[in-house]
Every structure is written in structure tokens, then in C-alpha cells.
Amino acid sequence: MNNARTDRSLEGAMTPGIPIFSPMMPYGTGLTPQPVQSTNSLSILEEQQRQQQQQQAAQQSTSQQATQGTSGQTPQLFHSQTLTTAPLPGTTPLYPSPMTPMTPITPATPASESSGIVPQLQNIVSTVNLGCKLDLKTIALRARNAEYNPKRFAAVIMRIREPRTTALIFSSGKMVCTGAKSEEQSRLAARKYARVVQKLGFPAKFLDFKIQNMVGSCDVKFPIRLEGLVLTHQQFSSYEPELFPGLIYRMIKPRIVLLIFVSGKVVLTGAKVRAEIYEAFENIYPILKGFRKTT
Amino acid sequence: MAARGSCPGCGSAALVEDAHYAQQQLVCAACGCVLAEGLLTTTYAEEEHLREVAYSQSTGQKEQLSRCLQRGIRRVQDLCKVLHLPTVFEETAVSYFQRALQHPSFHLVSLEKKELLGGCCVFVTCRQHNWPLTMGTICSLLYAKQELFAGVYLSLQKELGLSVPALSLGDLVKTHLNSFRLFQHAADIPASFVEDKEKMVARTMQIVELASETWLVTGRHPVPIVTAAAFLSWQSLQPAARLTCTFARFCKLAGVDLPAPAHLRLKELLEILLRMASQLAWLRVFNMDKKTVIKHIGDLLQHRIFLLKNAFCLEDEEEPRAVAAGEGSPGSPAAGGAAQEEGCPSEGKRQREGGPRPLLPPCLLNPRKRLRTAAPSASDSAITGDEPISDSEIEQYLRGPEEIRAFRKAKAWL
């Protein structure tokens, strides 16, 4: 009863639709019924809500990590999830998000249903804009690890040893970095290339770093009847033994292309984030298991 | 020219057929009265005798379509005629071709690719109607490189969203054997080499089915398998006379190409047959080898279901391989492993001769030694991407001034 009055009195001050009444909110925390709310108490209210939400989020994440620790599948994935969805300190959101438990992108499946196989990332392709025009001849002359053959290709091919990657550097200042085995490695490698270009005398910056493609592979450890798979999943699969020994499966959600071979090895490509590869593999594994017991 | 009748106006008999502009009129020469006007249309009776002109041959279509499209359509129609395809196929292929050329991704490709596009449309149509046409045939008809054809075919399939069913091996066997020349007597073919077509087709089908059951077909080009199966079935129908004939000679006599992988397929087929022969009661006493087993192919095919079950360990639920057991996957409990042990005692010891081996594709039985990339180490996964980069590390990639001078000199000489 008391709370209903406070709710109506606050309605004019705060924007409507904010769920003030949540189970975690203790009654009477600075909500003295006043016709006009000063901004100070408004921010205090939001601060309190945010703190409680963060506490709850922290509790949720630790409990989830505990359950996932046993299977040890993708701890890194869940870790990054807690960072991105918790509200950043310092920003006061106009609509404090409702106190719902945090949902990870890949739902926590019990260990018996999941495949237990984690695809390994084999290649990451990323692009970055160095932000200045480059003279490729100078770069090829003054850098040891560069090759430049303008008749064959209009870019300098540069390689570094750690992380073992290759970069294509164009005269417009755009650069493509390939060969890294993780997103962080790709970013570090791209920064190293930018530093090399900087030391060669160009005002290189590091703008718009973006991962364009991720390739992963794994092995389901049993042979697969590709002819059967193409019959049942005709709208997604393309199997042409005359052209290529593997079956090309174009998954709609997530939008990933899988190359499935008779030996049971699967290559997944076309992902922009790591979670897409994991999700695609979890989607295809039950389908492939269905083709195992044919004799 | 005077026409019959009299003018209703003046009664004169001088009626003339005159054309007023384009219209025929019956006019009285005396008073100028028009008796009858020519019809702009002919009657149904008159049209019956006219020859019906198909729209595709009329000038109407020529004016509507571009020359490139006309040429392409004609090419598609010629291909269908050469392959003796039904008319339904021709219409479907032409419609696919028109749809494809309107698509933005095919509108501006090179002429060479547009010709291949016509062939791809015919190929897709045949596959959709389960007409066994291989890419090799189409490529040879178009004088095209197979890689280029493959690229155009895949992009056509993607852009138009066509679902193309897989090549049916049974139909391919029949079509491929049709081109063999061993079914009639000829001057260069010894009498004992000529064979009855029905028997050979039936036995080749059985051998191809056996190959597909034992994982020899998945992922491989179908034509070499059919050729190898045809050779085995031909030899087994009259082994006494034909065992001495080599594979190459057989293909030359039959008038077909010997594809390079066919030798390997033949070897794999013979290995399967030898294993099956080891399980047949009245053959166990003999020492079978690659040549002698051919004589008994008939018996082996007759009892193939039983023999396959005994000769090969069929895959069970849990993976039998020792490598897999070490991976620690949560899905392989110890109980399942024990049951597996009972069913296939020699499972882990595949090298032992005579024991049943698992029925697996050859790529899993003879894994090629590959450089396995190490799984990402702990230090690798600790990289955040924002570490500081030392100057010395970058300096190692830059040339010093003397080096640049030396490099410039060297380049000047080149």
C-alpha cells in the first residue's frame, strides 16, 4: 500500500515504465514521498539499483562458471559474456535494466547432451585502416620481411614471426591480417604491422580493427555417410563428389558454412565471432550422429 | 478484273475488285457503290491450312531478346539435341538460362563463362530429372576446363537457389556401360572377350553397391569406380579367358578412357573381396590372391550380406580407436568400452592379418602422416591483444642504411 503511493508520486519525476518494484529493492530506500524529486536522489536511486544488479550479476556468473568448470568446454566464452553484459561503471542508464538473471548466448547444456568436442580455431582474417597513404616501394625497400611484386599483386606482403601471421598492405593504407589462431593474436599482430609501418616513417594509426572471418576445425571421430546427409538435408547441403570430396553445408542460423568429410573431420568457416563456430558445431553434431549407425 | 453479281444501286454488272489503300473492296464501276469490303482477318477455315510458326522461330522473339541471349539459348538447345534429351529438359534448361542471365552476378561475366552457363543449366536439368550426366561429359562437349565449369556451376546453384539431387550411381552404371564396345563382335576384339550386356550390367551394379556399402564411394569421383567394377565383373564372367587381360587393355578394347584413380579403386575393391573370401567356408582352404579371387566373385556377391558382417567389424556406439579413448571425451564411459571389447576382440590390433577389421573409409584406415598443429598453449591463450610491443622486436624487421644501399645496388644489377 505504502509502495503504491510512492510509485504514483515518483511517476512524474522519473520516466514511466521503470520497474521500481523488484524483489531486491528494500522498501523505503530514500523514497520519501515528495511531489518533486531532486536530481540528487534520482541518481542515488539508480546507483543503488545498479549496485544491486551488479552484485546479482556477479553471483550469477560465479555460479554459472562453477557448473561449467566441470566440463571445461568454453570457460573463455562465459568469461567474456560477464564483461560485456554488466553495465559499465560511471554511466547511469536511464532505464535500469530489469533484475533478470543474465542469459549467456550459448545456453548451458548439460554435459550428457553436448558433444564434448570443441572446434579449434585455425585462422582469423582481420582488417584495419592505417589511416594514411603508403608508398609501397619504400616499404618494400626498407623492410626485411616485405615482398612487393606490382605486376602480380598491388600490395606489399609482410610477415612477422610472432604471432605467425601474414599481412597484405595496400597503398590506400588499408591492411588485411591473416593466419592468427585467436582474436587477440590477430589484434596483436595487426598492431605490430602498424608499428613496423610507423617506424618506416609513415603516420600510421590503428583505426576500425575488425575481424572479418574465422575458420575452425574439429573431428567427430566417426565416418559419415555423406550421400545420406545430402538426401535428408537437401536444402542446405551440396555434395558433388566429382568436384570436391566433402559436403558443403550452408547453415542458416548461425550463418556458417561447414565442410563435412567422410572421415568425420568438419571445417567451419564464415564466422565473425567465436560463438558462432561453437553454436554451428553444436547444431550439426546431432545431425551427424544420426548418420553414424548406418551399415 | 470483273466479278460476278450486279450492283444493288444501279444494276450494272460491271463490278470491279479494287483496293482502297490496303483493303480489298468490291466496287461498281458505273456508280461507285461499294458492295463488299475485304476482311481484315482470315476465317478459321483459311487459317487451318497455314503453317503454325513457333514463337521461338518467329521474329518476335528475336526482337525481344538480346543477341547474346539468343546465342546462348541456341547453344543450350543444341546441347540437348546432341545428348538426345527429351523436350521437357530443353524447355527447363532454357528457362534456367534466361533466369540466370538476368541475375546481376551473371549479367556481366565473360563470354566464355556465359557459354559454360548454358552447359551448367543443361547439367542441372539432367540431375534434377535423375538423368545420369557427369560433369566430364559436359566439359568435353563444351571444350571447357573442369575448374571453370565447377566455379560457374556452384555459383549458379547458389544464385538461383536450385536444389540438385545427388548423382544416382545405378543410372550412371547403365549409362557408362552403354558406351562400352564389348557387347558386339568386332574385328579387333577376340571372341572370348565379347560379353552379354545384361549380365555385365547386373554384376557391375552389384559390385558398385558393394563398394558403396564398404565406404569406397563416398567422397570419390564416381566414374573410376564404375570403370573398375566393370572390369572386375567382365573378368569374373569368363575368368579362364580374361584373367590375363590388363586393365589398360580392357579399356582400350572397350573404347573408354582409363581414369587415373581407377587403379586404386581396383586395388581397394580386390582387398574387400579378399577379406570377404576369407570368410567363405569353401574358399578358406585355398590361398586366395588378387587373381584367383576374381573367379569366385559370383559366389561372393551372392552371399555378400553374410560375408560383410563376418569379415568386418561394424562400428559400434563408442569409438574403438585407442587415440579417441585418450581424448577424455565425456561420452565414452568405461562400460561401453568393455562391451565393445567383447564384440570385436581384435579391434585394437588392426594390423593382425585375418582378424576382422573395422568397416571404415580408406582415408581413416591409412591416415597420412600430417603435421598436427599443437593445441594453443597456455601462454597463447593469455594474450590479450593489447600488450606493449618492444622496439627491438620491430627493429628486427627493418633494414639498416648499409643494407638498403646494398639492396639498391643489387636491384640495379637485376
Side-chain angles (χ1 to χ4, degrees), chain A residues 88-103:
Chain A
L88 299 166
T91 61
T92 50
L94 196 53
Y95 293 94
S97 36
M99 303 281 208
T100 50
M102 217 171 45
T103 46

Side-chain angles (χ1 to χ4, degrees), chain A residues 141 161 191-192 239 292, chain B residues 219 317 393 396-397 399:
Chain A
L141 176 65
R161 280 183 281 274
R191 282 176 57 226
K192 289 190 180 172
Y239 170 54
R292 195 177 166 182
Chain B
E317 269 287 331
E393 190 186 344
Q396 69 173 317
Y397 294 120
R399 288 200 172 113

Side-chain angles (χ1 to χ4, degrees), chain B residues 38-160:
Chain B
L39 297 169
L40 290 172
T41 58
T42 52
T43 63
Y44 186 67
E46 286 162 3
E47 272 182 9
E48 257 180 50
H49 299 292
L50 297 173
R51 273 236 313 243
E52 198 179 277
V53 179
Y55 182 60
S56 58
Q57 282 150 354
S58 72
T59 50
Q61 194 187 41
K62 279 206 188 124
E63 279 154 23
Q64 279 188 9
L65 304 172
S66 68
R67 204 180 306 170
C68 170
L69 191 56
Q70 283 174 43
R71 203 180 12 230
I73 291 179
R74 228 172 310 140
R75 190 71 116 109
V76 168
Q77 290 168 339
D78 291 341
L79 269 174
C80 294
K81 282 198 193 59
V82 165
L83 294 167
H84 300 291
L85 301 176
T87 27
V88 174
F89 288 33
E90 192 178 305
E91 288 155 15
T92 321
V94 168
S95 78
Y96 281 153
F97 185 70
Q98 283 182 306
R99 266 174 64 194
L101 272 193
Q102 278 161 11
H103 210 275
S105 47
F106 288 115
H107 207 55
L108 301 168
V109 294
S110 61
L111 273 180
E112 192 188 357
K113 278 197 182 160
K114 281 195 177 131
E115 289 191 6
L116 289 185
L117 196 58
C120 285
C121 295
V122 174
F123 179 69
V124 166
T125 314
C126 286
R127 284 278 284 271
Q128 286 183 334
H129 293 263
N130 280 323
W131 189 279
L133 184 68
T134 57
M135 286 191 197
T137 315
I138 286 278
C139 284
S140 61
L141 282 175
L142 295 172
Y143 305 108
K145 290 186 289 251
Q146 183 136 23
E147 304 87 46
L148 206 56
F149 182 85
V152 178
Y153 168 68
L154 289 173
S155 45
L156 174 74
Q157 203 183 7
K158 199 169 77 152
E159 299 296 336
L160 291 190

Side-chain angles (χ1 to χ4, degrees), chain A residues 90-273:
Chain A
T91 61
T92 50
L94 196 53
Y95 293 94
S97 36
M99 303 281 208
T100 50
M102 217 171 45
T103 46
I105 285 179
T106 48
T109 50
S112 57
E113 278 179 26
S114 71
S115 59
I117 306 172
V118 183
Q120 295 287 349
L121 287 182
Q122 302 291 349
N123 184 24
I124 314 268
V125 177
S126 58
T127 54
V128 71
N129 186 4
L130 299 177
C132 64
K133 293 268 178 279
L134 304 172
D135 179 14
L136 299 183
K137 280 216 186 73
T138 312
I139 295 178
L141 176 65
R142 299 185 50 206
R144 284 190 187 134
N145 54 345
E147 54 181 90
Y148 180 46
N149 197 346
K151 291 198 200 102
R152 225 166 44 133
F153 191 54
V156 163
I157 303 171
M158 196 180 282
R159 297 186 166 87
I160 57 174
R161 280 183 281 274
E162 185 55 48
R164 187 176 262 275
T165 49
T166 306
L168 303 172
I169 305 176
F170 294 84
S171 54
S172 60
K174 299 248 172 79
M175 182 173 84
V176 180
C177 174
T178 63
K181 297 274 191 220
S182 77
E183 304 90 316
E184 297 83 12
Q185 277 188 19
S186 190
R187 189 187 161 82
L188 180 62
R191 282 176 57 226
K192 289 190 180 172
Y193 287 112
R195 187 67 73 81
V196 170
V197 172
Q198 251 177 15
K199 288 222 182 272
L200 289 173
F202 298 93
K205 303 188 258 304
F206 197 74
L207 311 168
D208 309 323
F209 174 78
K210 183 168 181 236
I211 304 250
Q212 300 290 354
N213 185 24
M214 300 173 72
V215 180
S217 73
C218 58
D219 188 359
V220 300
K221 307 266 197 287
F222 54 82
I224 302 169
R225 291 267 173 210
L226 300 179
E227 310 96 344
L229 182 59
V230 77
L231 275 179
T232 49
H233 290 78
Q234 206 174 26
Q235 61 271 49
F236 306 114
S237 336
S238 155
Y239 170 54
E240 296 291 334
E242 295 178 71
L243 291 182
F244 187 63
L247 186 147
I248 304 171
Y249 192 99
R250 292 183 195 275
M251 199 177 274
I252 310 279
K253 187 177 171 350
R255 216 164 142 264
I256 301 281
V257 173
L258 298 94
L259 302 176
I260 305 169
F261 296 91
V262 67
S263 56
K265 303 224 172 29
V266 180
V267 174
L268 307 99
T269 180
K272 290 273 197 288
V273 291

Side-chain angles (χ1 to χ4, degrees), chain B residues 262-382:
Chain B
H263 283 287
L264 296 167
R265 302 293 158 265
L266 188 65
K267 231 173 36 167
E268 285 165 359
L269 272 172
L270 284 169
E271 195 244 333
I272 300 276
L273 289 168
L274 275 171
R275 283 208 174 259
M276 285 165 68
S278 70
Q279 297 297 314
L280 204 52
W282 59 89
L283 291 182
R284 261 193 225 150
V285 289
F286 296 112
N287 216 1
M288 286 277 134
D289 73 351
K290 286 193 333 229
K291 291 282 181 187
T292 45
V293 75
I294 295 178
K295 296 187 212 156
H296 306 281
I297 284 184
D299 288 338
L300 293 174
L301 288 175
Q302 201 177 1
H303 304 281
R304 66 176 181 278
I305 302 173
F306 167 76
L307 293 173
L308 279 180
K309 232 189 323 185
N310 283 18
F312 298 104
C313 219
L314 302 170
E315 278 281 310
D316 264 315
E317 269 287 331
E318 321 306 328
E319 310 88 26
R321 265 153 282 163
V323 181
E327 300 277 67
S329 69
S332 57
Q340 173 65 22
E341 274 290 302
E342 288 169 22
C344 256
S346 66
E347 194 49 69
K349 308 158 188 108
R350 242 174 280 132
Q351 286 81 19
R352 197 167 65 184
E353 281 296 327
R357 75 148 167 84
L359 194 57
L360 292 171
C363 57
L364 286 178
L365 291 174
N366 320 317
R368 265 186 242 152
K369 279 205 185 124
R370 270 176 52 208
L371 209 71
R372 296 221 170 268
T373 52
S377 56
S379 60
D380 281 353
S381 46

